[in-house]
Amino acid sequence: MRTDVRPRADGLPEDFVWGCSTAAYQIEGSTGADGRGTSIWDVFSRRPGAVLGGMNGDLACDSYRRWKEDVALLRELGVGAYRFSIAWPRIQSGGSGSPNAAGLDYYRRLADGLLEAGIEPAATLYHWDLPQPLEDAGGWPERDTAYRFADYAGLVLRALGDRITTWFSLNEPWCSSHLGYALGIHAPGRKDRGAAYRAVHHLLLAHGLAVRACRSAAPGARIGIVLNTATPRPATRRPEDRTAASRAADERTALWLDPLYGRGYPERHLAAYPEVSMPIEDGDLATIAEPMDFLGVNYYSEEAVEAAPVGPEHPEGFRVAQSWREKTEMGWDIAPEGLGRQLEHIASTWPVKALYVTENGGAFPDLAGPDGRVRDRDRIEYLRSHIASMAGAASRGVPVRGYFTWSLLDNFEWSHGYSKRFGLVAVDLVTGERRPKDSFWFYRDLVAGFGS
Ligand code: GCO
């Protein structure tokens, strides 16, 4: 841990960064504007039954046109950074070839607007919106997709690396591989575990190639990856539940962090699933383990798992166990102590130089009163308790350097459409009007109190 940082009473370093996170497909809208190509989410969201109510991101929060309003909200919050994602189809409409100038210009304007407001732009290169032509050519299970991503990353870093100096290669690659290719509940909606594990490898390879691209195209920038790690506990002491928990933890954590930190894939996990194999070629593991500047961790909940009969619903042989705990609107247990536990587990198991909590937040009912005000006390308590848990881990030596809440705005929550609201700010889907909730003012005061 850096010793030059004076730990504060709350354990967080003086230069701790507070921020908010969003993602392109979830907030931008304008999916047909200015040369943007089609992504797998544009296609998947139109598949009958894929998304609640047949909703999609065509309009979303209209942030492509209203980005100045979003920057003004961030400025009012007083945050030090804003994590957004760059839509690959805006930069290369078909996923390869020369860049779309209008797409680069949009992100240049957004970055400049943030910098003028004293807010650091922090960009995610891939937040799930793969250009559809690349999926038509096989998608992440195909090695070539990793090379296409490397070209895209190099192009963006060369164009924007002077304005944006904090980069995240991928957001939650587990969601891309397992939800997109094994369980089929996210785009592209395939159910093929073999394809999912080929996707695991090519996503990690893509990340490593992007780190190399960053070192050459934007030498002054920093880059990491964002993972939704999890270390579920066994529901009972039964041996089968303990095995289930270790398999679930490996799938969500070691399967990713072991290769990223030069340890190769966890043999225990691959031995548990002999039907899948990793298409490793010479040099791949070294590429994947290219040193990162930091690790982003998304945390929402901590669950217990139990053994489940292997089948279409539970191909891995485990499932989340029922629990008595209070839950968010997503049905996820509210377990603030799990955040500190997760951060300490990661910091004590892998040689992580610096950690950011890149997403943390909760979906709640958010009923507006007759005055239109959303008194989201439940979200305030969720944020307060999780931030306290994170600060506790920091006071015990975990090198956590920043916290980004999910999310600035209510937005398109993937297969749930717009039915689940995570924002500090409510968005009227007809008028586009942004209305800060009580949690917005809570977060503003918390940031002001900590400094940012
Ligand atoms: C994710 C994504 C976000 C989600 C958020 C709430 O990590 O899943 O980054 O796009 O909206 O996590 O589910």
Side-chain angles (χ1 to χ4, degrees), residues 143 147 197-198 200-202 204-205 259 263-267 270 277-288:
R143 187 178 180 89
Y147 298 129
Y197 276 79
R198 293 197 301 278
V200 169
H201 183 66
H202 297 139
L204 283 168
L205 182 63
R263 299 177 185 169
Y265 290 107
E267 281 309 314
L270 298 183
S277 63
M278 308 307 272
I280 303 170
E281 296 189 12
D282 286 351
D284 286 359
L285 294 178
T287 302
I288 292 170

Side-chain angles (χ1 to χ4, degrees), residues 349-363:
T349 311
W350 291 276
V352 182
K353 285 190 285 188
L355 275 162
Y356 287 86
V357 176
T358 31
E359 288 178 27
N360 177 244

Side-chain angles (χ1 to χ4, degrees), residues 23 26 83 127-128 171-172 175 186 228 298 300 330 332 359 406 411-414 422:
Q26 296 181 269
R83 174 180 173 242
H127 202 123
W128 307 354
N171 176 75
E172 298 193 1
C175 290
H186 273 197
N228 54 328
N298 292 352
Y300 290 92
M330 295 294 281
W332 300 342
E359 288 178 27
W406 183 272
N411 59 55
F412 179 75
E413 179 51 35
W414 309 112
F422 282 82

Side-chain angles (χ1 to χ4, degrees), residues 110-432:
L110 175 57
D112 288 346
L114 288 164
L115 291 168
E116 282 158 28
I119 299 165
E120 181 186 359
T124 305
L125 285 164
Y126 184 69
H127 202 123
W128 307 354
D129 39 9
L130 183 72
Q132 184 62 38
L134 295 183
E135 176 57 27
D136 295 341
W140 284 110
E142 287 300 318
R143 187 178 180 89
D144 189 60
T145 304
Y147 298 129
R148 298 290 66 75
F149 179 77
D151 293 346
Y152 154 68
L155 190 161
V156 170
L157 287 157
R158 278 190 298 278
L160 302 174
D162 56 339
R163 292 165 163 83
I164 304 173
T165 56
T166 300
W167 293 90
F168 305 98
S169 56
L170 307 174
N171 176 75
E172 298 193 1
W174 175 85
C175 290
S176 299
S177 59
H178 283 66
L179 301 187
Y181 290 97
L183 300 176
I185 56 179
H186 273 197
R190 289 163 60 178
K191 296 184 181 179
D192 175 345
R193 280 176 57 78
Y197 276 79
R198 293 197 301 278
V200 169
H201 183 66
H202 297 139
L203 283 156
L204 283 168
L205 182 63
H207 157 78
L209 292 169
V211 172
R212 283 189 181 153
C214 184
R215 300 305 182 221
S216 58
R222 304 179 308 148
I223 190 167
I225 192 171
V226 173
L227 303 177
N228 54 328
T229 57
T231 43
R233 61 188 184 281
T236 72
R237 290 189 177 84
R238 294 185 313 162
E240 58 269 36
D241 288 347
R242 289 178 183 277
T243 300
S246 68
R247 287 184 178 179
D250 286 348
E251 180 187 287
R252 293 288 298 275
T253 304
L255 178 62
W256 307 94
L257 287 174
D258 278 359
L260 284 167
Y261 287 97
R263 299 177 185 169
Y265 290 107
E267 281 309 314
R268 177 176 75 176
H269 185 72
L270 298 183
Y273 301 109
E275 74 279 11
V276 303
S277 63
M278 308 307 272
I280 303 170
E281 296 189 12
D282 286 351
D284 286 359
L285 294 178
T287 302
I288 292 170
E290 278 290 337
M292 295 183 283
D293 299 297
F294 48 72
L295 175 67
V297 173
N298 292 352
Y299 177 88
Y300 290 92
S301 180
E302 181 187 75
E303 289 155 341
V305 298
E306 60 190 6
V310 173
E313 201 179 343
H314 305 294
E316 307 102 324
F318 54 79
R319 65 182 167 219
V320 174
Q322 291 303 312
S323 93
W324 49 270
R325 297 199 71 145
E326 197 184 351
K327 297 171 177 31
T328 68
E329 289 291 288
M330 295 294 281
W332 300 342
D333 285 3
I334 298 176
E337 72 284 357
L339 174 52
R341 212 178 353 246
Q342 184 67 230
L343 294 175
E344 291 186 86
H345 170 61
I346 290 168
S348 61
T349 311
W350 291 276
V352 182
K353 285 190 285 188
L355 275 162
Y356 287 86
V357 176
T358 31
E359 288 178 27
N360 177 244
F364 294 99
D366 287 2
L367 302 177
D371 56 359
R373 178 178 157 188
V374 175
R375 293 169 173 79
D376 52 341
R377 314 297 305 160
D378 36 21
R379 181 172 291 105
I380 289 171
E381 177 49 26
Y382 180 100
L383 295 177
R384 188 206 58 74
S385 57
H386 284 76
I387 289 167
S389 177
M390 171 189 66
S395 67
R396 291 186 291 275
V398 172
V400 59
R401 295 280 176 262
Y403 173 92
F404 293 77
T405 185
W406 183 272
S407 179
L408 172 67
L409 304 170
D410 289 346
N411 59 55
F412 179 75
E413 179 51 35
W414 309 112
S415 58
H416 298 280
Y418 297 92
S419 67
K420 307 300 182 189
R421 291 175 291 279
F422 282 82
L424 301 179
V425 176
V427 177
D428 183 312
L429 292 177
V430 175
T431 67

